[in-house]
Amino acid sequence: MPRVIDVVEFIDETGNEMVHRIPERGSGDFRFGSQVIVREQQAAVFFRDGKAMDVFEAGRHTITAANLPILSGLLGLATSGKTPFTAEAYYVSLRQFMDLGWGTPEPVTFRDADLGMVRLRANGVYAMEIKDPSLFVNKIVGTQGIYETPQIENMLRGIIISKFTDLLGEIKIPFLDLPAKYDEVGAGTKAKVQDDFGAMGITLRALYVRSITPTEETAKAIDERAQMGAIGDMSKYMQFQAARGIRDAAQNPSGGGGLAGAGVGLGAGLGLGQMMTGAMMQAQQQGAAQPQAPAGGGAVPEVMNPAEAAAYMQVAESAIMAMI
């Protein structure tokens, strides 16, 4: 036969528990005349059949039909009866919980005006307190079926992340501008979350964005964009890079036979030759004095010896550098 609980109390030695259930498993047997001890910044909520019933505030109370009117009416117990009744007691902490963390477990994808698609991670902190213990127990325990603090924090964190993601999708601030908007994003997320928290008897005191960071792929795209911006004219940059590649191959014949060893065949050579010839003609039109290109109409032979490649490169690189 289950033991009748004569004294109901809970001391939170950690200070971190939002809710504590008595008994921890199953239902407890309580009786009229039992003592309920509730400390400051606590509330004791009696719960039965999936609903929060009566609430005890701070103080020492004796269970009677007078101070458990809802539960007593439900059970049909006499005021002076000593018959045990089955229920659970939930001690709810009313203190303010500070520095609770939130963060995206996985990167979230957004459309960005500058970068196209970006994948971002975000995290921050928030502060909350339970203002309506009866509503809180009804929504958290009765509806969600959870009462352990880590489970409750996971649920609250999920709400924050959902609203944060929704807000970023609405405001469409480019990622590169977000660091200057953390306060606004935090305030906007807090405004979106407050109604959901309020519906559970919770007051959201503060919410802050600590960081919004890109994934490795998005960071690489940002770096590439910055490099392109620094270069200015991408076509000239590609011409210059091609010229440098031919020069490096020609200066390293031991690496496998000059241009042929570097993987530059006849087709690639013709393409590079035409590109460089065009660059030299453009430079000549601008009045730049150029050395004469080797014979052959500007096309690069399939294989050059180091001396020929160096001479050709001097002409091509001078022309391209004159354009940049």
Side-chain angles (χ1 to χ4, degrees):
M1 181 176 178
R3 180 180 66 86
V4 176
I5 302 173
D6 290 320
V7 178
V8 187
E9 67 176 328
F10 169 64
I11 301 174
D12 183 9
E13 295 179 353
T14 67
N16 296 324
E17 287 200 61
M18 293 182 185
V19 179
H20 184 83
R21 186 184 196 273
I22 298 177
E24 294 186 4
R25 294 290 183 272
S27 296
D29 286 342
F30 301 91
R31 78 168 86 215
F32 287 98
S34 296
Q35 300 294 300
V36 179
I37 301 172
V38 184
R39 287 169 172 78
E40 292 296 326
Q41 294 190 316
Q42 282 185 340
V45 181
F46 277 79
F47 188 87
R48 182 184 168 92
D49 298 331
K51 294 182 180 180
M53 300 296 178
D54 300 289
V55 181
F56 288 99
E57 298 178 347
R60 187 181 187 95
H61 310 273
T62 300
I63 296 179
T64 67
N67 55 28
L68 278 178
I70 300 175
L71 190 54
S72 298
L74 179 67
L75 298 172
L77 296 174
T79 302
S80 59
K82 298 292 184 180
T83 305
F85 60 90
T86 301
E88 301 113 49
Y90 288 89
Y91 274 80
V92 178
S93 175
L94 303 181
R95 76 173 187 85
Q96 187 170 149
F97 289 86
M98 307 289 292
D99 295 328
L100 298 175
W102 66 271
T104 53
E106 299 293 337
V108 181
T109 303
F110 298 96
R111 188 182 301 277
D112 188 90
D114 295 330
L115 302 171
M117 302 300 290
V118 296
R119 301 180 72 230
L120 306 176
R121 297 184 177 92
N123 66 76
V125 295
Y126 68 101
M128 50 77 69
E129 63 181 309
I130 300 167
K131 297 298 292 184
D132 188 333
S134 179
L135 179 59
F136 179 79
V137 171
N138 267 328
K139 293 296 185 179
I140 299 299
V141 181
T143 303
Q144 300 293 329
I146 59 176
Y147 57 86
E148 295 182 356
T149 297
Q151 294 176 313
I152 297 171
E153 289 186 14
N154 285 340
M155 186 194 69
L156 299 180
R157 186 159 48 243
I159 294 173
I160 292 173
I161 293 169
S162 174
K163 299 301 182 180
F164 167 81
T165 303
D166 186 54
L167 177 71
L168 279 194
E170 289 178 357
I171 60 179
K172 295 181 173 60
I173 297 177
F175 168 72
L176 298 178
D177 296 332
L178 278 176
K181 301 292 184 179
Y182 281 2
D183 287 346
E184 291 84 349
V185 173
T189 304
K190 178 175 179 287
K192 278 182 167 287
V193 171
Q194 276 187 135
D195 288 345
D196 293 80
F197 275 35
M200 295 183 291
I202 301 171
T203 298
L204 180 62
R205 292 298 183 188
L207 188 147
Y208 300 102
V209 176
R210 182 177 288 162
S211 69
I212 303 175
T213 57
T215 60
E216 184 177 343
E217 295 84 357
T218 300
K220 183 178 179 181
I222 294 171
D223 290 342
E224 290 175 351
R225 182 179 176 84
Q227 291 170 4
M228 290 173 63
I231 292 165
D233 190 324
M234 195 63 183
S235 63
K236 293 179 181 178
Y237 173 73
M238 292 300 293
Q239 291 172 355
F240 179 68
Q241 288 290 82
R244 290 185 63 179
I246 296 174
R247 180 195 63 191
D248 293 342
Q251 291 177 349
N252 186 25
S254 62
L259 293 176
V264 181
L266 180 59
L270 288 171
L272 290 171
Q274 292 168 357
M275 179 178 68
M276 293 177 182
T277 301
M280 287 185 289
M281 291 177 63
Q282 208 170 347
Q284 288 172 351
Q285 291 171 0
Q286 295 171 357
Q290 302 296 334
Q292 293 299 313
V300 181
E302 184 173 7
V303 178
M304 281 186 181
N305 62 42
E308 291 172 337
Y312 190 89
M313 278 304 305
Q314 183 177 3
V315 175
E317 194 170 24
S318 297
I320 294 169
M321 290 299 294
M323 295 170 58
I324 297 177

